[in-house]
Amino acid sequence: MDERLKKQLDFALEIDKEKNITRQTHLSGHGRNENDAEHAWHMAIMAYLLREYANENIDIGRVMLMCLIHDVVEIDAGDTYAYDEKGLSTQKEREDAAKERIYSLLPEDQKKELIALFDEFEAYETPESKFAHTMDNLQPLMLNHSNGGNDWKEHQVKESQVYARQEKSRLGSEKLFQVIDDIIQENIKKGTIKARE
């Protein structure tokens, strides 16, 4: 086997570990906690289905690939819960180290390509990255809502925290932000998200 193919297969095997990274979000139907690979797959399919609601013209293939690779770094860095302030303070440092180790398994050209795509996602500047982030925010919100908001209730999440995370979703899709806002408001009324005091 030549070196390039060996590196590609080594990377493919390494990213299988993403299936072991458990998230706070539960599967619909009050199922078990989802893993990072399931989250990424779900986001990618949602991006394809909902692409007509993007604020700008997007390259949907690029968006889907961003969705699929954005959490590979969590193999080393672990999942950081959206409302964990302490974890969020070290997230970038942990993910940067993970990005270098994991993507370095690839041949140099593919390493550069996927790191550039990851960095584009993180920078939140292109139409594709904005729409991918909308999926990253909508997907767990949708699952949590389908489960009666139990994850928000368990972690005593406040309205201000949810809006702080979700506000940028409108940069990718105003239409989908309306859906997000409706879900948040419904859960505030139900008391599963703590209202502003």
Side-chain angles (χ1 to χ4, degrees), residues 72-99:
V72 166
V73 294
E74 293 185 2
I75 291 167
D76 288 358
D79 177 60
T80 303
Y81 182 49
Y83 307 112
D84 173 7
E85 290 179 21
K86 185 178 177 189
L88 291 169
S89 70
T90 63
Q91 182 179 17
K92 181 169 176 15
E93 181 183 317
R94 288 180 287 116
E95 289 187 354
D96 282 348
K99 173 179 70 173

Side-chain angles (χ1 to χ4, degrees), residues 134-148:
T134 301
M135 296 303 102
D136 196 23
N137 290 339
L138 175 60
Q139 188 267 350
L141 180 112
M142 189 174 74
L143 287 182
N144 196 11
H145 179 59
S146 79
N147 288 320

Side-chain angles (χ1 to χ4, degrees), residues 80-141:
T80 303
Y81 182 49
Y83 307 112
D84 173 7
E85 290 179 21
K86 185 178 177 189
L88 291 169
S89 70
T90 63
Q91 182 179 17
K92 181 169 176 15
E93 181 183 317
R94 288 180 287 116
E95 289 187 354
D96 282 348
K99 173 179 70 173
E100 184 58 32
R101 184 195 74 78
I102 296 166
Y103 289 118
S104 289
L105 296 172
L106 285 165
E108 191 63 26
D109 62 316
Q110 289 184 321
K111 172 190 173 181
K112 286 180 180 173
E113 178 187 1
L114 292 188
I115 283 179
L117 200 62
F118 176 86
D119 289 345
E120 179 183 342
F121 175 82
E122 291 294 309
Y124 228 123
E125 293 171 351
T126 63
E128 287 78 14
S129 65
K130 291 173 188 174
F131 193 68
H133 269 284
T134 301
M135 296 303 102
D136 196 23
N137 290 339
L138 175 60
Q139 188 267 350
L141 180 112

